Every structure is written in structure tokens, then in C-alpha cells.
Amino acid sequence: MWRRIFSTSTSTSTSAPAAFTSKGKKWDALIIGGGHNGLTAAAYLARSGLSVAVLERRHLIGGAAVTEELVPGFKFSRCSYLQSLLRPSVIRELELGRHGLKLLKRNPSSFTPCLDGRYLLLGPDAELNHSEISKFSKQDAEAYPRYENQLQRFCSFMDYLLDSPTPEVSHKVLSFTDRMRDKLQKSIFWAHCFRRAIFLWQKDMVDFMDLLLSPASKVLNNWFETDVLKATLATDAVIGTMGTVHTPGSGYVLLHHVMGETDGDRGIWSYVEGGMGAVSSAISNAAREAGAHIVTNAEVAQLMINDDSGAVKGVVLADGTEVHSSVVLSNATPYRTFMELVPQSVLPEEFRCAISNLDYSSGTTKINIAVDRLPQFQCCNPSIQEAGPQHVGTIHIGSESMEEIDLSYRDALSGFPSQRPLIEMTIPSVLDKTISPPGKHVINLFVQYTPYRPSVGSWEDLAFRESFAQRCFSLIDEYAPGFSSSVIDYDMLTPVDLEREFGLTVAQVPFQWVDPHLSSSQASQLWWREHISWCNGLGFTLLNAAC
Ligand SMILES: Cc1cc2nc3c(=O)[nH]c(=O)nc-3n(C[C@H](O)[C@H](O)[C@H](O)COP(=O)(O)OP(=O)(O)OC[C@H]3O[C@@H](n4cnc5c(N)ncnc54)[C@H](O)[C@@H]3O)c2cc1C
């Protein structure tokens, strides 16, 4: 089964009124894409008094933060399914609570069942963590709070970077006053960074650098001895990537996933009542209240550039409609924006080369499932049918050791969907009663690794897709017998579907560190900017006269 029924959604949408394209209308700013970052930009710009239009290619807003009712009565967060990285300042300033955002904290936050009958629960409760880890190793139970404290200190360091505009290198010829202002702003930024670095002691600073650059396996092996604990923590280091626990830099991905918070509680991920579309819906409500105009079914085909000045003057939609503005922000990926939407002749070759070398590879498949009962894990008490602590947080299937994660990565590296995929299972309907009929549940499977182009077979082939989905269900059956028979229906998004349906860039672009136009420091700078803008709640590309 591969469902494609677009019936209802919790994200409201608006279609184009005549005023939107009326002759001579010039907007102060246009935003390509109504993902949650595009909507956030729209809300802030509209609040500052500018006339803003958001142009979204899909029939509904939200991008990858979306809720869709694909099976009647079951509302799926089709891509993104957990919240913590949206910056608290954005939640506060846009008053997202008033606009309908309700976060449901998870405690415990993770559960890892083992085939030998043991399991590991972890969460915000220090006593629970100690007793759970002690089942495997007393030494690890003692080390765990120290590990968490160190990550907290690193996160505090990162907070400033996430909440500040990154210093830009301007290619424009600046006046003397603007040059001085620019220097002052950069000095303030670096002074703040330096002050924060001093507050991290020298050992912490060395460990911080090590975490950013090392493989997660090295970091976790330094701290702990228990396989299941290391594997549970290591999934945060590989999630969404086409990398393994031994990939240099995976330590940073680990940090990235503990940087967030829910209502001030660091590292706590929450479900969103109504699904992730409710985040986009709340932001769009704030944007609309401030006067922003949001248009769906409006795919931007190209930017219009002034031949003489090289400045942007608006966009052309896929249906040929021209929309005018001298400021355009793009919520599409940098690859789509600069390689597909901006006319190639206006960009410097070096810049295009840098963009084309961004690594977008991801071996992620998302499977959204409607089930008629909760999975009963053999390592808990399977005769009790009600929801227990094992159902509340992220359930790690197929990751009892870091070697297991690495093996499943290696399959995909050779071009095959993993034999024993790495699965992060969540059951939001345990806490959110608004997304499924009573007694029935919505299950998200975030699955790795699935190559974009398998060596044998194709994601276009229904039987090939179905056999991979069944492989995932059978793996879950090993831990929770009978799971497969609880499946009512499901929706499966492979890397190819994510690209086609949501406009993401997923294709495996090889990352060339040695490149005639791009030094490794430039490449890593781009990598950093890419990853930091991903999570700062305002990740977009601004195209204006500098284009
Ligand atoms: C399967 C999956 C699971 C994830 N899980 C999580 C999670 O649990 N928690 C988390 O924090 N993050 C998660 N993420 C990441 C998160 O979803 C993204 O970081 C976030 O959605 C990015 O938001 P955005 O607004 O920047 O871009 P997007 O959500 O990608 O939005 C971009 C928008 O631009 C539109 N667009 C593109 N091109 C055009 C065009 N030419 N014209 C008009 N519109 C256009 C697209 O249709 C889309 O609506 C997940 C991602 C995926 C793919």
C-alpha cells in the first residue's frame, strides 16, 4: 500500500486573490516557499510594517512541518515529527501559544528494547536514568550526568551562535560609515564568542572541538562502555544523514540534536498537538495577523533579474504570472534556489561551484502508519495492553550497538536498502488524542538507510517499495510480535519521494573537499552555515541587489 490521498490538513491555506497579482502591484518582500522558516520570515517582516507575500508550490503550507490526514481519522506528521529546535525567542515573540501551538513533553524520552529481554529507558528524570543505566553498568550510570552536563555547557555556547545573525562577507562596495558599522558589528559578535569560550574551561574547549570534528563513536567510547547506551545516544549522531557513527563530524550532529528545548527544558523534544502542521499553522496565523499574504499552488519558476543592474525585480510563477518586488527571500534549498531558480548567468562561477558541492545526501525514509493497537514489546509485560512508559518517547529499533548502526549504513553505501534498518519509532497518539480514533494509533518510523538510487531495483517499483516496508515491519515484529498485523494502512516517503513531494534536495551530490575552486575551509564554512541555518528558525536565503 502506498497512499497518496490528500484529503484534509490542519494547515490552513489561501488561494491567490486578484489583489495579489494586480497590475503594478509591487511587494516590499516576496518569500519563495511556505515552510515554517519561510512563514517565520513572513511574520517578522509583516510585523515590521512591510507588505509581504509567501508563494508556496504545494496545495498546503508547512513544507516538511506538515500534518496530513492520509488515512481517514489518522493525522500524520508526514516528515518532521518532533519539536525542540524552534528557537524559544521565535515562539515567544510570535506568540505561537496564542496562535494555537501546544507542545506535549515526553517523559521518558527514549526506550531501547533488546532481543535478550532487557531494555533501556532514558529521559529528563536523573533518578530513572541512573537506575536504568545501572542495569547495564554502574560506571556508566555515574558518568551519564557528567556527560549530560558537559553537553549542556556546549549548548549554552551554541545558543549565542544560533540566536545571532552570522557575520556576512559583503561583496558590495560599502561607504566608509557602512564599513565601520560592519567592523563594529563583527567585533561585537566575535567578542561575545570569545567571552563564552573563556567561560568554557580549557579541557571543555578541547572536548568541544573534539566533539565537533570527531566521529560520534570516538566521543561515546571515551565516555561509556555499555553497547546499548552508546547506540541509543549514537542514533542522534546519524539521524537524517548518509553517515555512520564513525563519520568525522557526526559528533556535531549529536550535539545538534540536544541543542533544543521545550518550555525551557534543555534537550527535551516534544510532540505538537495536532501534528507538526500545527507549528506551521501557528506561525502562519501570526504572519496573517500581521498582514502577510500567503498563497498556495504558486510555484516559482524563476527569479526576474534586471539586466543592467543585476538586481532582483521579482519572480515568475510556473503559470507565467509575474510578481514584483526588489527583495526576494528563498525558503527553498540553496541548491534549488541558486541552481534552478536564479538565472545562471548572474552568479559567479566560484559561487555556483560551492553550491553544487553542498552535500545533501540522506538515506532517510519516513513511514507513517495507522495501527489498530499499540505495539506490545516482549521485554516489557506484553499482556498489559495499555500505554506504558515504553510507548511515550522515541523507540529505538535495530540499534542495540554502534556496530549494528554501522552495518546498516554499510548496506546503503553499497547501494542496497539496509537489511536490518535503523528505526526510530514514535507514537504521538499516546499523548495527543486529536490525531487518531479512540483506541487506534499513529506511528512514525524514521528509517535509515535507503540509498537515493538503489543498485538493484527502484523506488518507483511498487513491489520494491512494499518489500522494504515489510522488512521494517518484520524487524519491529522481532521486538513486538504481532506488530505487522496491527497495520491498517501506511504512507511511505523514500528519499526520491521527499525530493519530489516536498521540494527537498536529497540527491547524493558527492562532497569534494579537493576542488579547484573551493578550499576545504570554504567548504566547511558552507557546511556550517547550512547546518546552523537549518535549525535557527530563520533559515532562508536573501536575494537582493547583491545577487
Ligand atoms: C523525513 C523528515 C523528518 C524530519 N524530522 C524532523 C524532526 O522530527 N524534528 C525537526 O526539528 N526537524 C525534522 N526534520 C527537518 C525539518 O523538517 C526541516 O529542517 C524543516 O522542515 C525545514 O523547514 P524550512 O521551512 O526551512 O524548509 P521546508 O520545510 O523544506 O520548506 C520549504 C518550502 O518551500 C517550498 N518550495 C520549494 N521550492 C519552491 C518553489 N520553486 N516555489 C514555491 N515554493 C517552493 C516547498 O514546497 C516547501 O513548502 C525532518 C525532515 C525530514 C525530511
Side-chain angles (χ1 to χ4, degrees):
M1 287 168 285
W2 172 24
R3 302 294 297 238
R4 282 281 177 277
I5 313 162
F6 302 114
S7 49
T8 57
S9 111
T10 54
S11 300
T12 50
S13 59
T14 316
S15 41
F20 163 63
T21 52
S22 64
K23 213 167 161 49
K25 169 88 185 164
K26 190 171 173 191
W27 297 87
D28 290 330
L30 292 175
I31 297 171
I32 304 172
H36 81 274
N37 280 324
L39 296 167
T40 302
Y44 277 98
L45 291 173
R47 280 171 150 225
S48 67
L50 301 181
S51 64
V52 185
V54 178
L55 308 167
E56 167 54 47
R57 55 181 267 285
R58 286 196 79 207
H59 63 293
L60 78 171
I61 54 166
V66 76
T67 306
E68 291 181 67
E69 189 173 327
L70 300 188
V71 178
F74 295 84
K75 291 178 183 160
F76 294 149
S77 293
R78 287 192 80 195
C79 294
S80 170
Y81 52 104
L82 287 173
Q83 140 65 23
S84 94
L85 293 170
L86 186 62
R87 300 305 295 158
S89 52
V90 174
I91 297 178
R92 196 177 51 248
E93 287 163 15
L94 297 185
E95 301 172 88
L96 297 187
R98 179 169 69 82
H99 288 295
L101 181 70
K102 193 165 168 202
L103 302 177
L104 307 169
K105 283 191 207 176
R106 307 173 325 146
N107 183 11
S109 48
S110 92
F111 167 65
T112 312
C114 303
L115 288 174
D116 69 4
R118 294 188 293 175
Y119 63 82
L120 175 70
L121 280 168
L122 291 175
D125 179 345
E127 267 178 45
L128 172 92
N129 295 341
H130 193 273
S131 72
E132 283 289 307
I133 301 172
S134 295
K135 294 189 307 197
F136 299 86
S137 157
K138 294 264 180 271
Q139 191 180 311
D140 285 358
E142 296 299 318
Y144 189 71
R146 292 201 302 278
Y147 164 81
E148 281 204 307
N149 282 340
Q150 189 182 58
L151 286 186
Q152 300 271 341
R153 293 198 292 281
F154 297 165
C155 289
S156 308
F157 180 80
M158 294 297 285
D159 276 348
Y160 177 71
L161 295 181
L162 296 178
D163 289 328
S164 321
T166 17
E168 296 288 338
V169 178
S170 176
H171 296 288
K172 281 196 275 188
V173 181
L174 299 176
S175 68
F176 177 76
T177 323
D178 284 345
R179 269 207 316 275
M180 288 302 111
R181 189 177 296 132
D182 185 51
K183 274 196 191 337
L184 182 67
Q185 275 164 357
K186 282 181 184 149
S187 308
I188 292 172
F189 176 83
W190 290 115
H192 274 294
C193 290
F194 186 63
R195 198 168 65 88
R196 273 154 204 273
I198 290 176
F199 281 114
L200 286 180
W201 295 102
Q202 191 170 343
K203 176 169 178 338
D204 263 356
M205 206 59 211
V206 172
D207 287 349
F208 184 47
M209 289 300 150
D210 203 34
L211 180 72
L212 295 184
L213 303 172
S214 296
S217 54
K218 180 188 159 198
V219 175
L220 293 168
N221 280 330
N222 278 344
W223 276 100
F224 306 114
E225 58 183 10
T226 308
D227 277 340
V228 66
L229 173 63
K230 287 188 278 188
T232 302
L233 300 174
T235 52
D236 271 349
V238 296
I239 190 159
T241 71
M242 190 62 191
T244 175
V245 289
H246 304 311
T247 305
S250 51
Y252 167 72
V253 185
L254 185 102
L255 182 68
H256 185 98
H257 287 98
V258 295
M259 267 179 333
E261 59 166 80
T262 295
D263 297 337
D265 289 337
R266 174 74 79 180
I268 299 298
W269 290 78
S270 54
Y271 297 125
V272 177
E273 189 175 88
M276 287 300 271
V279 174
S280 306
S281 180
I283 301 173
S284 72
N285 289 342
R288 285 203 185 93
E289 185 182 78
H293 203 82
I294 300 169
V295 190
T296 51
N297 295 311
E299 177 166 9
V300 172
Q302 208 167 45
L303 267 91
M304 294 189 291
I305 306 289
N306 189 313
D307 288 340
D308 300 327
S309 63
V312 73
K313 55 181 187 177
V315 301
V316 187
L317 303 187
D319 67 4
T321 308
E322 293 188 359
V323 192
H324 297 272
S325 175
S326 55
V327 176
V328 178
L329 289 81
S330 178
N331 183 202
T333 66
Y335 186 88
R336 247 171 217 274
T337 303
F338 294 112
M339 304 307 278
E340 294 172 10
L341 302 182
V342 176
Q344 298 307 299
S345 53
V346 300
L347 293 173
E349 186 50 35
E350 189 187 355
F351 181 77
R352 276 170 41 77
C353 177
I355 295 292
S356 67
N357 275 297
L358 285 173
D359 182 7
Y360 283 100
S361 54
S362 168
T364 299
T365 284
K366 178 83 190 300
I367 308 180
N368 303 301
I369 314 174
V371 292
D372 63 13
R373 59 186 180 274
L374 282 172
Q376 296 307 326
F377 293 94
Q378 210 148 29
C379 58
C380 302
N381 189 346
S383 60
I384 301 172
Q385 303 292 310
E386 287 102 56
Q390 68 275 25
H391 296 114
V392 173
T394 298
I395 302 161
H396 299 274
I397 306 275
S399 50
E400 293 188 40
S401 71
M402 292 201 287
E403 284 66 39
E404 220 174 333
I405 298 175
D406 192 50
L407 277 179
S408 89
Y409 164 75
R410 283 181 190 285
D411 288 341
L413 203 60
S414 316
F416 300 100
S418 304
Q419 274 306 313
R420 290 180 69 79
L422 178 65
I423 300 176
E424 261 207 24
M425 176 199 261
T426 43
I427 318 175
S429 48
V430 166
L431 296 186
D432 181 359
K433 302 297 173 201
T434 69
I435 55 173
S436 63
K440 301 191 166 59
H441 288 276
V442 162
I443 292 192
N444 299 301
L445 301 185
F446 190 99
V447 181
Q448 286 169 262
Y449 296 83
T450 44
Y452 182 82
R453 270 185 216 89
S455 309
V456 179
S458 158
W459 294 121
E460 306 299 328
D461 174 2
L462 227 55
F464 184 80
R465 299 171 66 89
E466 184 126 2
S467 85
F468 182 72
Q470 290 306 334
R471 189 182 302 170
C472 296
F473 300 165
S474 301
L475 183 60
I476 298 169
D477 282 339
E478 289 182 26
Y479 293 86
F483 170 77
S484 292
S485 63
S486 70
V487 174
I488 299 170
D489 207 344
Y490 68 88
D491 157 60
M492 174 162 155
L493 295 161
T494 67
V496 178
D497 304 313
L498 289 168
E499 192 172 61
R500 189 170 32 213
E501 186 87 37
F502 294 94
L504 304 180
T505 304
V506 188
Q508 291 173 6
V509 183
F511 201 21
Q512 298 166 3
W513 287 96
V514 185
D515 182 284
H517 302 289
L518 190 68
S519 68
S520 64
S521 66
Q522 282 173 307
S524 74
Q525 221 178 6
L526 270 169
W527 187 91
W528 269 96
R529 287 177 58 161
E530 178 77 353
H531 281 73
I532 286 176
S533 71
W534 184 81
C535 64
N536 74 0
L538 283 172
F540 53 78
T541 309
L542 175 63
L543 300 136
N544 56 15
C547 168

